[in-house]
Amino acid sequence: MGDYNSRNGNSSRGGGSRSEGPRRDGANRGGNPRRREEGAEGGRPERSGARKHAQRGGSGRNVGKFQAGPNRAGFREERIVARQNEPDLPSDLDVKDLDPSVLQDLRSLAKDNADAVAKHLIMAATLMADDPQLALRHARAAKDRGGRVSVVRETAGIAAYHAGEWKEALSELRAARRMSGGPGLVAVMADCERALERPEKALELAREVDTAELDEETRIELAIVLAGARHDLGQHEAAVVELGKADPRPDAEGVSASRLMYAYADALLAVGRKDEAKKWFEYSKKADVDGLLDTVDRIRELS
């Protein structure tokens, strides 16, 4: 478990859910911070309902109430130490590079603090693929400053996921899901359960969401992860069924489609349907125009 290099394509760690967190190219899902690029194809994704944030320090909301957070002994000292240990931020970062919807969410914070959070989110996005540990430090710094904002918690969860901190990832993604509602990054959460060697939990988590609420890419990601959970349990026929529900099609194109075909071929091979498996590896190879998968090797093995 937890092997990012597993070739079977049945999990994010082995080619399943590919949530890459707060990307700078705008091609993001789940409400993660994105860097905005003028004229980028696809633009801003549809969002199911606007987020609603409580008024921070609203007029008289907490008057006379005990507050365990900022008033507890040692809180100020802990906060100072945390700020001193934050990773450095380059001087040329521009918070306007973030998607406007993310900047809107951060308006619930004080301006200077919101700017710092935005810059840490940008760094987390930038470093996610090449230096996931440093990306996680930036995401944690953003959380320390703006942990009441769902997109910040979501970013912390994705960063923890890429850094292999499965428990932390689950905790943060659950928090983000509670704050914003909706299915959240259910495929990533399910894959974390697999990494923690809890495939039953991954299957349970999937039953909590209405797949009709998910876009096609997310449905594919979830199917791949759930098939992986079935394989973990030795339920290889059920894995074929899970992937079949996602409707793999020989003429489909794109990264998600090619990975679905790959996972489907691998599941067919696991139940002894070698000839069918080879065909689906070939379909996957055709759809994989960027050559991201090892379909050539798999086809050669079956020839």
Side-chain angles (χ1 to χ4, degrees), residues 262-290:
Y262 185 104
Y264 190 54
D266 206 51
L268 290 169
L269 189 60
V271 295
R273 295 159 65 176
K274 180 178 176 180
D275 291 342
E276 292 178 78
K278 184 179 178 182
K279 286 183 180 179
W280 281 99
F281 278 128
E282 289 170 348
Y283 298 147
S284 176
K285 178 179 178 296
K286 183 179 179 181
D288 183 23
V289 294
D290 294 323

Side-chain angles (χ1 to χ4, degrees), residues 14-34:
S17 173
R18 291 173 54 86
S19 174
E20 296 183 3
R23 290 183 248 174
R24 302 175 73 165
D25 61 7
N28 176 296
R29 64 183 180 278
N32 300 317
R34 303 169 292 277

Side-chain angles (χ1 to χ4, degrees), residues 49 52 85 102 120 139 163-164 195 240 258 276 282 288 298 300:
K52 297 180 180 179
N85 291 331
V102 177
H120 281 298
V240 175
S258 66
E276 292 178 78
E282 289 170 348
D288 183 23
R298 303 306 299 275
R300 186 182 300 118

Side-chain angles (χ1 to χ4, degrees), residues 20-21 26 28 49 55 69 109 142 158 160 179 188 211 227 241 262-263 283 287:
E20 296 183 3
N28 176 296
Q55 293 296 320
L109 306 174
I158 296 170
M179 291 176 180
V188 179
T211 56
V241 173
Y262 185 104
Y283 298 147

Side-chain angles (χ1 to χ4, degrees), residues 170 174 177 182-191 193-194 198-214 218-230 242 245:
L170 270 174
R174 283 171 180 153
R177 188 173 171 183
L185 294 177
V186 62
V188 179
M189 295 172 68
D191 202 38
E193 295 288 9
R194 283 196 63 209
R198 301 189 304 221
E200 298 93 343
K201 291 284 188 181
L203 297 172
E204 288 176 13
L205 197 129
R207 286 193 286 269
E208 295 175 4
V209 301
D210 181 359
T211 56
E213 296 181 9
L214 307 177
T218 304
R219 284 196 297 272
I220 289 174
E221 303 297 347
L222 183 58
I224 292 173
V225 174
L226 296 183
R230 294 293 188 184
E242 291 284 1
K245 293 176 183 176

Side-chain angles (χ1 to χ4, degrees), residues 52-109:
K52 297 180 180 179
H53 295 289
Q55 293 296 320
R56 310 304 191 217
S59 57
R61 183 180 63 171
N62 292 319
V63 173
K65 294 184 179 180
F66 172 76
Q67 299 182 31
N71 289 337
R72 67 176 173 80
F75 177 84
R76 184 172 179 276
E77 291 74 12
E78 290 175 6
R79 181 56 55 87
I80 291 173
V81 171
R83 299 288 165 86
Q84 290 174 339
N85 291 331
E86 288 181 354
D88 294 335
L89 292 167
S91 59
D92 61 346
L93 291 178
D94 186 350
V95 299
K96 293 181 181 178
D97 285 338
L98 278 179
D99 186 273
S101 65
V102 177
L103 293 176
Q104 178 65 32
D105 287 350
L106 296 181
R107 289 185 64 182
S108 59
L109 306 174

